[in-house]
Amino acid sequence: MAPRIEYVAETGSTNADLIARLADGELLPEGYWLVADRQRQGRGRQGRSWLDGPGNFMGSTAVALNAPDPSPATLSFVSALAVYETVLPFLAAPSALMLKWPNDVLLHGSKFCGLLLECERGHAVIGIGVNLSAAPDIAERKVSALASAGPAPARNAFASALASQMALEVGRWREFGPGPIINRWKAAAHKPGTPLSVHDNDGARITGTFDGLEENGALRLRLSDGTTHVVHAGDVTLEDH
């Protein structure tokens, strides 16, 4: 189904809007996107706020979760790859772009994209924010905008390209399973042996080196004693950045 994009001037959160509509029993067609010029209550992972900005992209879509589909958690990799592939044509130096577990997209080592995946009534609601024209000042965090690497695309043109790429990646995810998606993610991500620190959901900090991914997408962290710790959720910092 061809993507359909609805633009609104302002809302609280595009993710919250789609979740509420699904909870009310609305049937959202796959490929539908809600894109806002401004969000008053944009959200990121672990309850963080996501700051908007004029000309930046803020939107959400819903993917139906059918019985034969792969694990919904692997849609994080699908979404990150969709952003990665959409952004690549706008960069003079593709090597400036890198993926970071679990679903961050980095530009010159700085975060310029946020993704949030939530489930509601048999759907995965995926929110994506991309700093196209400007990045906010955030204490102790490196953030950037696509405009820092060259002319940024117009928001609506970017939305159309992202919606089409997302539809393509979701189709691949359903047809071939998560294996090829995860392999492509690894090819564009930090290399094995990269020093990492992980803050898990309990606040504990674990350091080690990247040792690949499990089949389900969980992070394998090689510890200093040679053992491997598997991380299913948490925030990752690249220690050499």
Side-chain angles (χ1 to χ4, degrees):
M1 182 179 295
R4 182 171 71 88
I5 304 173
E6 178 184 356
Y7 296 99
V8 295
E10 183 174 319
T11 190
S13 157
T14 55
N15 251 41
D17 288 351
L18 293 196
I19 287 172
R21 289 163 64 174
L22 288 167
D24 287 341
E26 183 174 343
L27 298 177
L28 294 175
E30 199 157 286
Y32 167 82
W33 284 76
L34 179 64
V35 175
D37 296 341
R38 182 172 183 270
Q39 289 189 126
R40 298 183 304 277
Q41 299 169 328
R43 294 176 293 131
R45 294 182 61 248
Q46 298 185 337
R48 298 190 184 94
S49 62
W50 179 263
L51 302 178
D52 57 10
N56 289 344
F57 174 85
M58 294 152 286
S60 298
T61 190
V63 176
L65 302 175
N66 305 313
D69 286 344
S71 166
T74 56
L75 282 168
S76 290
F77 299 98
V78 172
S79 305
L81 277 171
V83 173
Y84 181 90
E85 296 290 354
T86 302
V87 169
L88 270 181
F90 299 104
L91 297 177
S95 60
L97 204 60
M98 186 180 72
L99 298 176
K100 179 170 74 72
W101 191 90
N103 55 18
D104 283 340
V105 188
L106 304 182
L107 180 64
H108 293 297
S110 298
K111 182 170 180 174
F112 79 110
C113 169
L115 294 99
L116 177 66
L117 192 152
E118 302 176 282
C119 290
E120 179 68 34
R121 292 180 67 90
H123 290 76
V125 177
I126 301 167
I128 299 177
V130 182
N131 295 332
L132 298 177
S133 60
D137 292 325
I138 302 178
E140 300 180 358
R141 297 191 71 188
K142 295 173 62 177
V143 295
S144 63
L146 191 55
S148 67
R155 194 278 309 272
N156 289 11
F158 181 84
S160 179
L162 177 60
S164 296
Q165 189 66 40
M166 186 70 173
L168 179 63
E169 300 295 355
V170 169
R172 290 168 171 166
W173 173 77
R174 284 206 173 103
E175 183 174 359
F176 303 111
I181 292 285
I182 289 176
N183 286 339
R184 287 172 56 212
W185 184 95
K186 289 191 292 187
H190 37 76
K191 304 305 180 187
T194 299
L196 304 177
S197 66
V198 180
H199 287 81
D200 64 21
N201 290 340
D202 296 325
R205 181 174 180 268
I206 309 168
T207 61
T209 58
F210 180 55
D211 194 35
L213 302 179
E214 299 281 281
E215 289 185 1
N216 62 2
L219 175 74
R220 292 171 55 87
L221 189 68
R222 177 75 65 173
L223 305 182
S224 58
D225 63 3
T227 62
T228 299
H229 180 74
V230 177
V231 181
H232 295 279
D235 278 347
V236 165
T237 300
L238 304 181
E239 292 296 323
D240 58 345
H241 279 68

